[in-house]
Amino acid sequence: MAAIGKRVWAIAEGWIPQGDGFTDRALASHETACIVNAGESDAHIDLTIFFADREPVHYALTVPARRTRHVRFDDLTDPPVPRGTDYASLFVSDEPVVVQHTRLDSRKAEIALMTTLAYSQD
Amino acid sequence: MAAIGKRVWAIAEGWIPQGDGFTDRALASHETACIVNAGESDAHIDLTIFFADREPVHYALTVPARRTRHVRFDDLTDPPVPRGTDYASLFVSDEPVVVQHTRLDSRKAEIALMTTLAYSQD
Amino acid sequence: MAAIGKRVWAIAEGWIPQGDGFTDRALASHETACIVNAGESDAHIDLTIFFADREPVHYALTVPARRTRHVRFDDLTDPPVPRGTDYASLFVSDEPVVVQHTRLDSRKAEIALMTTLAYSQD
Amino acid sequence: MAAIGKRVWAIAEGWIPQGDGFTDRALASHETACIVNAGESDAHIDLTIFFADREPVHYALTVPARRTRHVRFDDLTDPPVPRGTDYASLFVSDEPVVVQHTRLDSRKAEIALMTTLAYSQD
């Protein structure tokens, strides 16, 4: 079977809500890039974050072979991704992967969710 | 007309909320893989579930010709899919199908929903 | 410029919630297939609804040139689409269009929303 | 590396809720087209809005090189996009971009969210 996925993925939406209705990590407002590597080699990914009014920044991620990694943008630290700020993200991997974007918003007492497959190309 | 769909589908997001606001099965927190087989032959699907920290597991699914099947991940039993755990899923079918992923989260007193077309390739 | 869209679209998810928190039509639980025809010819669409346990049914839709039509599944009448029932849908058009699927769920006092681009092919 | 994205994008869904549970701009009901331009040249975009019962209207947008722009449809002014009205949108860019569609609905006291990658072609 062919390798699963593509090497280039982009998420045009990006915005981490300011404020949480809950202190539980799983209920605090966050955005996630879910990545699955169905292949037999570890995937090394260059993640670029784009902003509306400043130059992009880069991060390095690894997703081991036969594993999924759900990366929370609020876990990125060098530099941190600001809350309440428009951004977008680009993933360039050395192995084929699949990327999906999810937001949980708990600014109010209840939560709201959204998700989408990211855009991909070779 | 050409057959509808593709044979390989992947969902990078996967996480079944722990806790339900309701006991009604339709309102309990769950994730679903909705599959439609628009063709004239039954589709036999190998489903692989990937995790962050352990080897993948496999399940066998059948979607009859001219039918849809909405598979709840919390209905998989051998082994069960753990709640509150990051996972991802891969569907490899012997017939073309279309796959969409949906989560209903009812941890709080109201529900939240999200859905996306899965990633596909031949 | 090339024509916008494709002629074959599928939505694997389909389920109209039973019960509404509101009597306002815009807040009652529903699912919609949003279709846009950016071209200069009317699009005639054969819509097939698939079920889990019975044969598919067909409907005829028209989307005029340079217009969008947001079709609520609960507005289909011959036959009506049952609530609380798994279904899926297939759109075969004589002109290129773009199709997106949305659900509003108002079973509880607040609403939940989800949407996705449908699957397309030529 | 190849340029990121495509030049033609369509969003079939479009509907700005009438009524807001909040006066805060970030919590008022709105729809957004998130656009990222990962390239080295500014992208000039012709945005067409389609309706159910009238001729389309056009807007001009620019997304600078290496930047993202999250366009709120309720910020379009010439003419404004009516609330509570079905619409759809088409983006034709002179540079490759990626487009994602998001709605926040705060008609009730809590918010609901939905998002999807838009449809793309060359």
Side-chain angles (χ1 to χ4, degrees), chain D residues 10-75:
Chain D
I11 303 167
E13 171 69 283
W15 192 81
I16 307 176
Q18 292 194 63
D20 305 309
F22 308 95
T23 52
D24 178 352
R25 174 176 161 89
L27 287 168
S29 295
H30 65 271
E31 288 200 314
T32 304
C34 301
I35 309 170
V36 62
N37 175 7
E40 296 300 320
S41 303
D42 293 359
H44 305 92
I45 299 174
D46 174 56
L47 165 59
T48 309
I49 305 272
F50 294 87
F51 297 100
D53 57 2
R54 67 193 96 163
E55 286 297 305
V57 294
H58 290 265
Y59 304 86
L61 304 173
T62 300
V63 183
R66 300 183 309 280
R67 294 291 184 276
T68 187
R69 189 170 164 203
H70 295 196
V71 179
R72 280 177 63 149
F73 287 95
D74 57 328
D75 283 342

Side-chain angles (χ1 to χ4, degrees), chain D residues 39-118:
Chain D
E40 296 300 320
S41 303
D42 293 359
H44 305 92
I45 299 174
D46 174 56
L47 165 59
T48 309
I49 305 272
F50 294 87
F51 297 100
D53 57 2
R54 67 193 96 163
E55 286 297 305
V57 294
H58 290 265
Y59 304 86
L61 304 173
T62 300
V63 183
R66 300 183 309 280
R67 294 291 184 276
T68 187
R69 189 170 164 203
H70 295 196
V71 179
R72 280 177 63 149
F73 287 95
D74 57 328
D75 283 342
L76 299 174
T77 54
D78 187 21
V81 180
R83 290 182 175 259
T85 302
D86 292 342
Y87 69 93
S89 51
L90 173 67
F91 303 77
V92 181
S93 175
D94 61 353
E95 295 288 335
V97 295
V98 175
V99 178
Q100 184 173 340
H101 169 233
T102 299
R103 180 190 297 166
L104 183 150
D105 185 331
S106 66
R107 284 174 290 174
K108 312 314 293 179
E110 304 292 337
I111 65 172
L113 285 175
M114 67 184 202
T115 198
T116 187
L117 184 68

Side-chain angles (χ1 to χ4, degrees), chain A residues 35-54:
Chain A
I35 309 169
V36 62
N37 175 6
E40 296 300 320
S41 303
D42 293 359
H44 304 91
I45 299 173
D46 174 55
L47 165 60
T48 309
I49 305 272
F50 295 88
F51 297 99
D53 56 3
R54 67 192 97 164

Side-chain angles (χ1 to χ4, degrees), chain B residues 74-121:
Chain B
D74 57 325
D75 283 343
L76 298 175
T77 53
D78 187 21
V81 180
R83 289 181 177 258
T85 302
D86 292 341
Y87 68 95
S89 50
L90 173 67
F91 302 77
V92 180
S93 174
D94 61 353
E95 296 287 333
V97 295
V98 175
V99 177
Q100 183 173 341
H101 169 232
T102 299
R103 180 190 298 166
L104 183 149
D105 186 330
S106 67
R107 284 174 289 173
K108 313 312 297 178
E110 304 294 335
I111 64 172
L113 284 176
M114 66 183 204
T115 198
T116 186
L117 183 68
Y119 168 81
S120 65
Q121 68 182 41

Side-chain angles (χ1 to χ4, degrees), chain C residues 23 26 31 51 56 76 80-81 87 92 97 104:
Chain C
T23 53
E31 288 200 313
F51 297 99
L76 298 175
V81 180
Y87 70 94
V92 180
V97 295
L104 184 150

